[in-house]
Amino acid sequence: MALEYMQSLYLIILTVLQFTHSLEPADSEPVAIPTDKLLVFTVATQQTDGFLRFMQTAKYFNYTVKVLGMGKEWKGGDVGKSIGGGQKVRLLKEAMQNYADREDLVVMSVDSYDLIFAGGPEELLKKFQQANHKVVFAAEGLVWPDKRLADKYPSIRSGKRFLNSGGIIGYAPHINKIVQQWELHDNDDDQLFYTKVYLDPLQRERLNITLDHKSQIFQNLNGAVDEVLLKFGTESVRARNVVYDSMPVVIHGNGNTKIYLNYLANYIPNSWNYEQGCGVCDNDLFDFTEVKEYPSVTIGVFIEQPTPFVPEFFEKLLTLDYPKDKLDIFIHNNEVYHEKHMQKLWVQNKNVFKSFKVVGPEENLSQGEARNMGMEHCRKRESCDYYFSIDADVVLTNTQTLRLLIEQNRKIIGPLVSRHGKLWSNFWGALSLDGYYARSEDYIDIVQSKRVGVWNIPYMAHVYLIKGETLRNELKERNQFVLEKLDPDMALCKNAGQLGVFMYITNRHEFGRLISTANYNTSHFNNDLWQIFENPVDWKEKYIHQNYSKIFTQNLAEQPCPDVFWFPIFSEKACDELIGEMEHYGSWSGGKYTDKRISGGYENVPTDDIHMTQVDYEKEWLHFIREYISPVTLKVFSGYYTKGYALLNFVVKYTPEGQASLRPHHDSSTFTINIALNSKGTDFEGGGCKFHRYNCSLESPRKGWSFMHPGRLTHLHEGLPTTNGTRYIAISFIDP
């Protein structure tokens, strides 16, 4: 009873003293604490990416930081999953013995792996003084680790009620008195220890402890992500707590909020530069001018499903501006369909690179196992400086990609690639609580390059570069891609995240794009011809003549006969593959009219042909007419707007042995296109087209070039005899 009486009397006296002090006139602001009287402590046993980022932010704001425990064994337990962290208190206890009597010294102890500074020492000390207590702990809305203690917390009118030990600031003697009470084990819980000190009314009053209830100094993100938004100023960016209208100085990604902290750290603490982008852009770069030899790179290529434009993928890979003797190639092809492409690639390039290995579908590897194998191909060789993983659905258009990624000097970094005209890309800006996709606030701006920089992100796929030393250290376990029921790419990202390895995406340059593998039908002879809808950019790049755009920019459209226009339209590959498709089909009409859909006989003069409908290419061909022929029509036949509709679309074959020529006739069309699919002199002799009304002939057709001429009334014409070889032309009667 006597003890309880003394405690009550003590509290009454303290209350009276505080009330008396509050009545004293506040004529002036307290004298500001000099910044050289602030010392920051943190405990870190390893230089993780999170720790290095913490130190970068401290350096940016000019904090004095003393690191405790670096290089020592961590015995504090797995604090990310359970209780622990007592080793931090023990190390701080030992360090504070040297500062126990420094009454003018303000000490702050913070975590470092998941924490950044957002403001400077002056702001921090000012807010500490405004708190008007000797010790201030961070606060959060969730009680941890013992929920039973919730009712013992003092009631507050508003704000976060519960203590978080990730941030403490106070005068050195007071901090010392707290930590000197530690007599527990390294794997006991640090937050529980501090909580019990705070919940003791006598200690709370004697040591003058409070919590930062409204996040003036410390912002814990756990349970508060929705409260924190970025505030963009003209020269800087800050995180703002919209509930308490505060600008916290320290941001702590505790609990499962590290991904959101990474997002915030893309913009703060550095001044936001709209040309250079995020603050992480100023990382120490790899300088190629200072090395005698280029780093050695293993390129892992993965073809895990039928993929369009695979030959073109390898063509672009071969044009990378990087010494071939520094490249080791590992390819996993999971598709029998692509074996023909692999065989051709092997024959042409097996001696080009430092090494070349192909693992085919006969190995029956899962995607995760194959990716583990490719990564191990680099990991097990000390000479491998980098591992560059790329899927066959990535179109690299920047020959400097490897060099640009290496220069950024990251453990894991990928180039931003997205589907043309779409928001689908190779990274996620955020994750949902269950670990799947969530759109970050800046995702669209990054994909559309409205914000340019190097971005810390939680997920990437398709293409990325990893340092060899990272594979041999943090990611040293062979299995990185097989985890629970996750996709291989998600497994890798989760493993990297759990190990504290940051992943970055860069959009500081244009690198290329992703193609769609959806609905890729491999039942045709040349399947890429059918990709005009799914992958129009790649279709155009492969099949449209390289000089097509000059029709509009340089008037590259000749007029060899009146109202007969001649212009480039198809590439060599388009011509060859269209011929190949028809010959593979093989059912040439032999000069008989075969299109049963057409009544009235639009094919006035039957030819030896195969119609687009017969090879299931009608809708693709009509789309080609609308996309590439219609603009030319508008240019050369000014004022005429074509509907781009044609009932008759076919490939004609002329041979001396079969049908060699075509008698004079009018086409049943408003206008006709006639595309030469092979070369005179190389593939055939003779041929051409004569327009009788003008006594004008075109006898030297160019492969890939098209005639365009009116169909009815004026342009009676005939096909001149083919005297040797085989001549192929593609015909469309447009707007019949």
Side-chain angles (χ1 to χ4, degrees), residues 611-651:
H611 286 238
M612 299 299 178
T613 54
Q614 294 175 268
V615 295
D616 194 28
Y617 200 63
E618 183 85 347
K619 67 178 185 294
E620 288 79 10
W621 187 263
L622 291 176
H623 188 70
F624 154 72
I625 291 173
R626 289 189 292 269
E627 289 292 312
Y628 297 103
I629 299 299
S630 294
V632 182
T633 305
L634 185 60
K635 180 175 178 61
V636 299
F637 295 127
S638 181
Y640 177 72
Y641 295 88
T642 176
K643 295 176 288 185
Y645 182 62
L647 288 172
L648 290 178
N649 308 285
F650 50 94
V651 173

Side-chain angles (χ1 to χ4, degrees), residues 178-369:
I178 294 175
V179 297
Q180 291 305 319
Q181 300 179 47
W182 176 263
E183 299 292 345
L184 302 172
H185 300 96
D186 282 356
N187 61 353
D188 284 320
D189 195 76
D190 63 324
Q191 185 153 304
L192 183 61
F193 164 73
Y194 288 122
T195 298
K196 289 182 176 180
V197 172
Y198 174 72
L199 292 181
D200 182 338
L202 291 179
Q203 292 217 67
R204 187 166 66 247
E205 296 296 338
R206 178 172 59 87
L207 297 173
N208 200 4
I209 305 173
T210 189
L211 305 187
D212 183 21
H213 296 293
K214 296 186 177 181
S215 303
Q216 298 295 327
I217 299 173
F218 303 105
Q219 176 65 65
N220 290 296
L221 294 175
N222 193 19
V225 167
D226 293 340
E227 299 177 6
V228 182
L229 298 176
L230 287 173
K231 180 180 180 180
F232 287 83
T234 56
E235 296 182 355
S236 64
V237 182
R238 286 293 295 264
R240 174 173 175 255
N241 187 305
V242 296
V243 175
Y244 307 119
D245 195 24
S246 63
M247 296 284 192
V249 182
V250 175
I251 304 176
H252 185 200
N254 57 322
N256 62 351
T257 65
K258 292 178 179 59
I259 290 171
Y260 192 65
L261 175 69
N262 294 345
Y263 163 73
L264 297 177
N266 282 327
Y267 297 92
I268 51 178
N270 305 67
S271 297
W272 176 246
N273 184 311
Y274 284 93
E275 292 182 358
Q276 199 177 35
C278 60
V280 295
C281 293
D282 62 2
N283 193 61
D284 293 333
L285 300 181
F286 181 93
D287 190 351
F288 276 94
T289 64
E290 294 185 358
V291 296
K292 295 180 180 180
E293 293 187 1
Y294 275 52
S296 176
V297 181
T298 294
I299 299 181
V301 177
F302 298 91
I303 309 173
E304 301 300 331
Q305 63 275 322
T307 304
F309 307 108
V310 163
E312 288 69 36
F313 164 83
F314 283 113
E315 286 177 10
K316 287 181 171 60
L317 195 65
L318 289 166
T319 62
L320 283 175
D321 184 13
Y322 208 86
K324 300 299 185 288
D325 62 347
K326 289 295 181 181
L327 298 178
D328 294 276
I329 305 299
F330 172 90
I331 300 176
H332 176 245
N333 171 36
N334 197 40
E335 291 295 328
V336 174
Y337 167 72
H338 290 300
E339 285 291 87
K340 58 185 178 182
H341 301 132
M342 293 300 99
Q343 181 61 30
K344 183 177 180 180
L345 180 73
W346 167 261
V347 170
Q348 294 177 347
N349 298 284
K350 60 182 178 181
N351 297 319
V352 171
F353 301 97
K354 185 177 179 182
S355 69
F356 197 117
K357 181 177 181 179
V358 179
V359 177
E362 69 280 357
E363 296 293 333
N364 197 29
L365 294 177
S366 71
Q367 185 178 160
E369 292 168 339

Side-chain angles (χ1 to χ4, degrees), residues 575-587:
C575 296
D576 295 343
E577 291 192 12
L578 196 55
I579 291 172
E581 197 67 39
M582 297 304 176
E583 287 292 1
H584 178 72
Y585 180 77
S587 298

Side-chain angles (χ1 to χ4, degrees), residues 301-586:
V301 177
F302 298 91
I303 309 173
E304 301 300 331
Q305 63 275 322
T307 304
F309 307 108
V310 163
E312 288 69 36
F313 164 83
F314 283 113
E315 286 177 10
K316 287 181 171 60
L317 195 65
L318 289 166
T319 62
L320 283 175
D321 184 13
Y322 208 86
K324 300 299 185 288
D325 62 347
K326 289 295 181 181
L327 298 178
D328 294 276
I329 305 299
F330 172 90
I331 300 176
H332 176 245
N333 171 36
N334 197 40
E335 291 295 328
V336 174
Y337 167 72
H338 290 300
E339 285 291 87
K340 58 185 178 182
H341 301 132
M342 293 300 99
Q343 181 61 30
K344 183 177 180 180
L345 180 73
W346 167 261
V347 170
Q348 294 177 347
N349 298 284
K350 60 182 178 181
N351 297 319
V352 171
F353 301 97
K354 185 177 179 182
S355 69
F356 197 117
K357 181 177 181 179
V358 179
V359 177
E362 69 280 357
E363 296 293 333
N364 197 29
L365 294 177
S366 71
Q367 185 178 160
E369 292 168 339
R371 293 182 186 274
N372 280 333
M373 181 182 291
M375 188 174 281
E376 184 73 4
H377 201 62
C378 173
R379 183 188 289 113
K380 67 182 180 182
R381 291 179 295 113
E382 290 292 333
S383 61
C384 180
D385 299 307
Y386 291 91
Y387 177 66
F388 183 58
S389 178
I390 181 169
D391 295 355
D393 58 356
V394 176
V395 182
L396 284 184
T397 58
N398 191 329
T399 60
Q400 300 292 314
T401 295
L402 258 182
R403 290 168 53 97
L404 292 170
L405 294 180
I406 292 172
E407 283 176 348
Q408 287 302 316
N409 199 21
R410 309 285 165 176
K411 292 179 180 178
I412 305 178
I413 186 169
L416 173 62
V417 289
S418 61
R419 289 185 185 169
H420 178 74
K422 300 183 182 297
L423 294 175
W424 182 287
S425 75
N426 63 323
F427 84 99
W428 297 348
L431 296 181
S432 62
L433 292 178
D434 56 1
Y436 288 86
Y437 174 80
R439 177 175 290 182
S440 63
E441 182 183 349
D442 58 358
Y443 176 82
I444 295 176
D445 284 343
I446 293 174
V447 173
Q448 296 179 342
S449 294
K450 294 178 181 177
R451 295 182 184 177
V452 177
V454 181
W455 312 91
N456 188 334
I457 46 97
Y459 168 88
M460 66 169 60
H462 298 285
V463 55
Y464 45 83
L465 182 79
I466 305 179
K467 284 187 176 181
E469 63 183 29
T470 301
L471 295 181
R472 290 183 283 273
N473 292 305
E474 293 96 329
L475 301 178
K476 62 185 177 181
E477 297 299 326
R478 187 182 191 279
N479 178 27
Q480 296 294 332
F481 291 96
V482 180
L483 180 65
E484 301 164 354
K485 296 182 180 180
L486 297 177
D487 292 338
D489 47 6
M490 295 187 69
L492 172 65
C493 297
K494 184 173 182 179
N495 284 329
Q498 290 178 340
L499 292 168
V501 179
F502 288 168
M503 296 180 296
Y504 295 91
I505 202 85
T506 172
N507 66 341
R508 299 182 76 182
H509 304 270
E510 181 72 32
F511 292 102
R513 59 184 176 271
L514 287 172
I515 61 174
S516 171
T517 59
N519 307 315
Y520 187 51
N521 188 337
T522 59
S523 64
H524 308 290
F525 188 65
N526 290 299
N527 299 286
D528 291 353
L529 282 168
W530 274 257
Q531 288 293 299
I532 191 170
F533 294 110
E534 198 73 30
N535 292 293
V537 174
D538 298 270
W539 190 95
K540 178 181 179 181
E541 189 174 280
K542 181 173 182 177
Y543 293 124
I544 295 300
H545 198 286
Q546 62 181 355
N547 291 329
Y548 172 78
S549 62
K550 293 181 180 179
I551 299 170
F552 310 98
T553 61
Q554 300 179 22
N555 291 316
L556 184 60
E558 302 175 17
Q559 191 174 183
C561 299
D563 286 333
V564 177
F565 298 94
W566 200 14
F567 55 90
I569 187 66
F570 272 158
S571 67
E572 294 258 351
K573 287 182 180 178
C575 296
D576 295 343
E577 291 192 12
L578 196 55
I579 291 172
E581 197 67 39
M582 297 304 176
E583 287 292 1
H584 178 72
Y585 180 77

